[in-house]
Amino acid sequence: MLFDVNNVCFTVRNTQILDNVNLHVEAGQSLLLLGPSGSGKTSLLNILAGLSQPGSGEVKYNDQIYAALSQSELDRLRANNFGFVFQKLLLIGHLSVEQNIGLSQSKADHQRIKNLVDDLGLSGKEKQKARDLSVGEAQRVAIARAVVHNPTVIFADEPTSALDDINAEKVMNLIFDQAKKSGATVVAATHDARIKGMFDNILEIA
Ligand SMILES: Nc1ncnc2c1ncn2[C@@H]1O[C@H](COP(=O)(O)OP(=O)(O)OP(=O)(O)O)[C@@H](O)[C@H]1O
Ligand SMILES: [Mg+2]
């Protein structure tokens, strides 16, 4: 079992955001968290990724219970297994495309970065500063950065909500292509029902 979530509740300032979420995702199966703005998708994504803790309930990744891990064990699990495409892309503006892609690596694998630059249509932009990229280019850099270490799970928060139909499909195909190449699975959160059909599992949250 890739993710096993049992009776997860999450409360922020006396407001219950997540009420008894149960979720069981097999290895290799993609997952979409679908719901309107403010329904708790990002909150649940962060809990699945071990970035935040639920108020109650249990989260397991590959039979490891997050709550039983020390902070450094959890940090290592996340660094080794997960890649993130955040809702706010979080590129470092004054660093170049290739520097941003290699950011999370202690030793940048130049060949891997070059392959990703080519794959994601960023050839020729390697040295360009992230702040000078178009939004679409910045998003592709964020995707490259998320997959550079061949994670098992690629988390993507609202990867398509600001895009038109054609670009939404393109971006999802890029994410799924990269996932397939490294045998990763995709966990995404969105209010964009257009991408529903691309996922094995859908959890609708209200
Ligand atoms: N750290 C926090 N402090 C205060 N409120 C929070 C915090 N985290 C989440 N919330 C609130 O919890 C609710 C759910 O937030 P969340 O970001 O999970 O929703 P979402 O479904 O991802 O929304 P969107 O589609 O707009 O990204 C929102 O009302 C938000 O304001
Ligand atoms: Mg969100």
Side-chain angles (χ1 to χ4, degrees):
M1 193 76 73
L2 191 70
F3 288 105
D4 202 358
V5 173
N6 293 295
N7 305 318
V8 158
C9 299
F10 185 63
T11 301
V12 183
R13 293 193 192 122
N14 297 325
T15 306
Q16 183 153 40
I17 310 293
L18 300 172
D19 179 17
N20 241 357
V21 173
N22 289 285
L23 189 56
H24 312 287
V25 182
E26 301 284 350
Q29 294 266 300
S30 58
L31 168 68
L32 184 65
L33 309 175
L34 186 67
S37 181
S39 57
K41 303 178 298 290
T42 297
S43 303
L44 181 55
L45 197 80
N46 287 341
I47 289 170
L48 281 174
L51 286 166
S52 83
Q53 282 166 10
S56 62
E58 184 186 72
V59 184
K60 283 196 264 186
Y61 167 74
N62 269 343
D63 293 326
Q64 299 175 86
I65 302 171
Y66 285 170
L69 302 176
S70 68
Q71 190 59 52
S72 63
E73 286 170 331
L74 189 56
D75 289 344
R76 205 172 322 129
L77 182 154
R78 207 186 303 114
N80 291 335
N81 297 284
F82 300 160
F84 295 92
V85 184
F86 290 101
Q87 195 164 5
K88 298 167 186 160
L89 301 175
L90 304 181
L91 300 184
I92 314 283
H94 67 276
L95 296 183
S96 71
V97 165
E98 57 188 8
Q99 285 170 325
N100 269 280
I101 296 174
L103 214 52
S104 62
Q105 297 187 299
S106 50
K107 247 190 2 205
D109 178 343
H110 296 289
Q111 189 56 50
R112 170 80 176 135
I113 292 173
K114 192 184 176 313
N115 291 344
L116 282 170
V117 162
D118 290 346
D119 266 12
L120 294 175
L122 293 162
S123 300
K125 303 266 175 192
E126 292 87 340
K127 308 288 180 199
Q128 187 162 322
K129 293 209 190 314
R131 62 174 172 237
D132 298 329
L133 296 170
S134 75
V135 175
E137 289 163 351
Q139 192 168 32
R140 281 178 273 144
V141 174
I143 294 169
R145 185 189 51 189
V147 303
V148 67
H149 58 304
N150 293 306
T152 313
V153 182
I154 301 167
F155 287 98
D157 198 357
E158 299 289 359
T160 59
S161 40
L163 305 176
D164 60 28
D165 289 357
I166 290 173
N167 284 297
E169 193 180 343
K170 268 192 198 162
V171 162
M172 288 316 296
N173 284 338
L174 286 175
I175 293 174
F176 275 105
D177 285 351
Q178 290 303 321
K180 200 187 276 176
K181 279 189 185 167
S182 53
T185 187
V186 179
V187 175
T190 193
H191 59 256
D192 182 359
R194 292 176 299 180
I195 62 174
K196 243 174 128 171
M198 302 177 112
F199 288 81
D200 301 315
N201 299 280
I202 295 170
L203 178 72
E204 296 210 33
I205 46 184

